[in-house]
Amino acid sequence: MADTRLRRNLRGATAALRGREAAAAAEIPDWDDLREAGRAIRDRALLDLDVHLEELERAVTEAGGTVHWAADAAEARRIVTGLLRETGAREVVKAASATLREIRLAEALARAGATVRETDVAGMVLQLGEDAPSHPLSPAAHRDRAEIGELLRREIPAAAPGPAGDPEALAAAARAHLRDRFLGARVAVTGANFLVAETGTVVLLESEGNGRMCLTLPETLITVAGIDKVVPAWDDMEVFLQLLPRASSGDRMTPYVSSWTGVTPGDGPRAFHLVLLDNGRTRALAGDTGREALRCIRCSACANVCPVYERTGGRPYGPVHPGPIGAILTPLTGGVESAANASLPYASTLCGACADVCPVMIDIPDVLVRLRGMVVESRRRRPVPTPEMALMRGLAWTMSDPRRHEAALRRGTRWARLLSRGGRIRRLPGLLGAWTEARDLPAPPAESFRAWWARTRT
């Protein structure tokens, strides 16, 4: 919040995306019907996910690909690292993917001695600047053109970007830097937007063409995708190829829609590996709340309208999937037992804007409220209650009896008035002090409403 440049960049990026998305959705007279169709397809896929996954594995295998199953992020990293060792390659080109960030693949490959090349411009900027993503669709949205130009001049002077802030010059610099990497790469790693069960087809939507370069030039292609990316049939893509571009970037059609099925002799990679990642998705799938969250198609529309994330980006909140959807996916897949995950459902105003724009009609505020209940229940099961839980139990005991309640009000009012200065309480003592770190309390009146009522109405 103290970085005014970051706030300005984020505000400009999200406002532009928000306007484009609203205009693109308004072009379709049956937009809400299309959203309902997307919701129904995703629900159907998740309810019969085991059947669709078996069908997907069979179709990929028949097409010459190899399917690997990863129960968690560690297993996924081991699988990809092992496949890379088998090829003997020491360099990997990588297309941007939230799933690859989720399993921290780049770090694992670097530890294994491999050089990882980010191939989308935003990912390359973050890698060169040793930075973290701030937005699900535009990871470098917090950096402006001048910053990016200066970074490229400093880190890759051979690319020689032109005038600072000139988009054409910046794109040319990135292209010059990446071209030789693509041409020399033997192994590529990508994510996926959708997995079509009936045909074994992987579908990837992107705006730069780097993903298509990754899946056509290298000899070995490795795709890591969550098991929730499955759709039953190819016909279902008719709906999602209309929904996703409009909801994510405000485009009628994504510039690059790539689809591939297994391997084809003489065309594209000689080996294709599909790593299907669970990493808590089965855990989330076990309940209605989790199934609703897994309906997500990763469009990022919710992050663009959220008054919280619009101002700070996703980095302060920690999850790999930033924005409102990350605030529900991360606790559902990773559990609400950890303090970091338990805090995410509370990082929301519950204004409902995210539910209004979601292309598959996820009621994110409702899920957040349900998750808050799950957080409370998990804390009740602890052998030693948290300070907050102990305080709440004490309040419940006090307020359950009228005499205790009245006595507490009298004593609490006296103490609160002693803490006030100029009619405001600016710092509460002890654990309560965390509440007043960012807000003030009005001092209580000298006489409570109940006391006034008893004095004037009797």
Side-chain angles (χ1 to χ4, degrees):
M1 292 299 293
D3 189 336
T4 55
R5 190 174 193 175
L6 179 145
R7 292 208 322 270
R8 183 180 65 249
N9 292 341
L10 280 172
R11 183 172 62 249
T14 55
L17 284 168
R18 191 164 59 241
R20 287 171 54 88
E21 291 159 8
E27 288 181 347
I28 301 181
D30 60 344
W31 177 248
D32 285 337
D33 292 337
L34 197 63
R35 294 172 68 208
E36 176 59 33
R39 182 202 63 76
I41 292 170
R42 294 295 294 134
D43 282 347
R44 187 171 73 249
L46 293 170
L47 284 171
D48 294 320
L49 187 59
D50 54 342
V51 175
H52 298 313
L53 285 171
E54 290 179 357
E55 185 181 14
L56 174 71
E57 181 184 31
R58 184 166 55 252
V60 170
T61 304
E62 290 174 354
T66 304
V67 176
H68 308 264
W69 299 85
D72 53 27
E75 187 172 4
R77 291 193 295 265
R78 285 195 299 271
I79 291 170
V80 177
T81 304
L83 291 172
L84 179 63
R85 288 199 184 100
E86 290 176 8
T87 67
R90 307 298 295 174
E91 186 169 300
V92 178
V93 289
K94 171 180 168 290
S97 166
T99 306
L100 299 182
R101 290 200 302 271
E102 177 185 338
I103 65 174
R104 301 188 182 279
L105 181 63
E107 294 91 329
L109 292 177
R111 288 194 298 271
T115 301
V116 180
R117 303 287 186 184
E118 296 286 352
T119 61
D120 65 294
V121 174
M124 184 186 74
V125 166
L126 296 179
Q127 186 178 42
L128 292 174
E130 298 181 350
D131 204 352
S134 61
H135 189 274
L137 179 67
S138 305
H142 57 291
R143 288 181 176 265
D144 55 36
R145 296 171 186 172
E147 287 181 289
I148 294 172
E150 180 59 33
L151 177 67
L152 295 185
R153 265 193 295 271
R154 185 174 68 248
E155 299 295 333
I156 49 172
D166 178 24
E168 186 174 349
L170 294 176
R175 184 182 297 112
H177 176 67
L178 292 170
R179 182 66 59 174
D180 290 341
R181 276 76 180 173
F182 281 125
L183 294 175
R186 293 170 51 197
V187 179
V189 183
T190 74
N193 291 101
F194 302 100
L195 305 170
V196 183
E198 70 171 354
T199 60
T201 303
V202 182
V203 182
L204 180 66
L205 283 70
E206 46 149 348
S207 60
E208 299 175 25
N210 61 295
R212 184 166 294 181
M213 298 282 277
C214 285
L215 63 93
T216 53
L217 292 175
E219 299 173 358
T220 301
L221 174 62
I222 304 170
T223 296
V224 182
I227 57 175
D228 55 312
K229 297 294 182 70
V230 173
V231 296
W234 183 252
D235 287 346
D236 298 329
M237 294 309 302
E238 175 192 0
V239 173
F240 295 118
L241 289 179
Q242 295 181 72
L243 281 175
L244 185 53
R246 283 178 164 82
S248 62
S249 58
D251 293 316
R252 297 184 181 94
M253 176 182 285
T254 303
Y256 294 88
V257 179
S258 302
S259 60
W260 65 97
T261 307
V263 295
T264 302
D267 183 15
R270 298 176 186 175
F272 169 58
H273 298 271
L274 175 61
V275 181
L276 292 172
L277 176 69
D278 188 326
N279 204 32
R281 287 162 175 80
T282 299
R283 172 181 183 160
L285 195 65
D288 293 340
T289 302
R291 279 200 300 275
E292 183 167 6
L294 289 175
R295 195 190 299 158
C296 174
I297 57 174
R298 309 300 195 275
C299 69
S300 79
C302 58
N304 296 329
V305 299
C306 178
V308 176
Y309 288 87
E310 180 191 27
R311 286 161 176 78
T312 65
R315 293 188 298 170
Y317 291 86
V320 174
H321 306 288
I325 192 63
I328 62 176
L329 277 176
T330 303
L332 283 166
T333 56
V336 297
E337 292 78 17
S338 72
N341 288 355
S343 71
L344 288 172
Y346 295 91
S348 172
T349 64
L350 301 179
C351 69
C354 50
D356 292 339
V357 299
C358 178
V360 287
M361 306 179 81
I362 302 173
D363 191 346
I364 295 177
D366 179 66
V367 176
L368 287 168
V369 171
R370 282 184 267 167
L371 277 171
R372 292 179 184 186
M374 293 168 62
V375 170
V376 172
E377 289 300 321
S378 71
R379 289 172 176 171
R380 283 177 178 160
R381 294 192 295 268
R382 293 180 180 178
V384 178
T386 63
E388 180 186 15
M389 184 63 67
L391 176 64
M392 291 300 175
R393 287 175 179 173
L395 287 173
W397 179 82
T398 301
M399 298 176 71
S400 64
D401 180 84
R403 286 173 297 182
R404 290 196 295 262
H405 185 208
E406 290 288 346
L409 278 178
R410 288 193 299 271
R411 294 193 183 100
T413 297
R414 285 197 296 269
W415 277 105
R417 291 184 64 80
L418 288 173
L419 293 170
S420 66
R421 295 291 184 274
R424 312 291 293 181
I425 300 174
R426 308 195 184 280
R427 177 69 181 175
L428 287 170
L431 294 173
L432 296 175
W435 199 88
T436 50
E437 285 179 357
R439 55 178 73 83
D440 296 337
L441 274 174
E447 184 179 35
S448 71
F449 173 79
R450 294 169 67 91
W452 172 84
W453 183 270
R455 179 172 58 80
T456 60
R457 294 293 187 269
T458 57

